[in-house]
Amino acid sequence: LAAGAYDAAVDLLKQGLANTGSLTAGMFKAIDSLALEALGSGRADVAQLLLEIVLPLTEGLELRAAYFALGQTYSARGQAATAAFNFMRSALAAPTAGMDSLLLQARLQAGLNFARARYHRDARAQFEWLLVHSRDATQLEIARRELTRLGRVD
């Protein structure tokens, strides 16, 4: 993909998944890496398409990762509300997996994107949740700063 042949990769992926109908953890990691590479190359549209192809075939922590990456694509495209909703889907996916760093990061990103979309109550709820559940000093500092910035204005 050094030549940027993302469209061909998407077509191959669609064909391959149509034949198998399933996705192994290794396949998901490869596709997730490809989506992040596309996003880093300014092709958020391709990253979004790749992730939307694999979403129906993922579960558990892979589903959390897929929704997180999808949130990143929408955020990169300036679609803060849709990004926030996908970050929330990420945080709420795999409820039996317990608390992990990606869940905490998803809550933080949801809050930041809710704030950008002017959903201040939703943003505030995410930052307050982080103050209770996170032990990460950076996340706590960002949550406090954003709560101060949001103030009481709705």
Side-chain angles (χ1 to χ4, degrees):
L1 292 176
Y6 294 114
D7 295 332
V10 168
D11 289 340
L12 284 172
L13 177 62
K14 283 181 183 177
Q15 290 172 8
L17 292 178
N19 293 334
T20 65
S22 64
L23 191 67
T24 66
M27 289 170 63
F28 172 77
K29 286 181 183 182
I31 294 164
D32 187 50
S33 294
L34 180 61
L36 292 176
E37 180 184 324
L39 185 61
S41 298
R43 294 293 310 267
D45 58 325
V46 172
Q48 179 182 336
L49 185 58
L50 288 168
L51 293 163
E52 288 173 348
I53 290 169
V54 300
L55 268 173
L57 304 173
T58 58
E59 58 185 30
L61 293 176
E62 282 91 12
L63 185 61
R64 179 174 288 165
Y67 275 125
F68 188 89
L70 194 56
Q72 291 176 303
T73 67
Y74 282 109
S75 184
R77 298 177 88 178
Q79 298 175 7
T82 306
F85 294 129
N86 279 284
F87 285 124
M88 283 306 302
R89 287 181 184 119
S90 173
L92 299 174
T96 60
M99 194 80 63
D100 67 359
S101 63
L102 190 56
L103 181 151
L104 296 168
Q105 189 63 22
R107 290 280 188 155
L108 177 62
Q109 290 302 317
L112 293 170
N113 279 280
F114 277 135
R116 284 186 198 112
R118 299 194 189 328
Y119 293 134
H120 294 154
R121 287 185 182 142
D122 295 310
R124 193 174 296 112
Q126 297 316 304
F127 298 134
E128 289 171 352
W129 186 94
L130 281 165
L131 290 179
V132 171
H133 294 94
S134 181
R135 299 209 184 343
D136 181 278
T138 302
Q139 289 177 346
L140 292 171
E141 175 58 31
I142 293 169
R144 286 186 192 101
R145 182 189 70 221
E146 291 298 316
L147 283 168
T148 300
R149 191 176 67 75
L150 288 169
R152 288 284 174 201
V153 177
D154 287 324

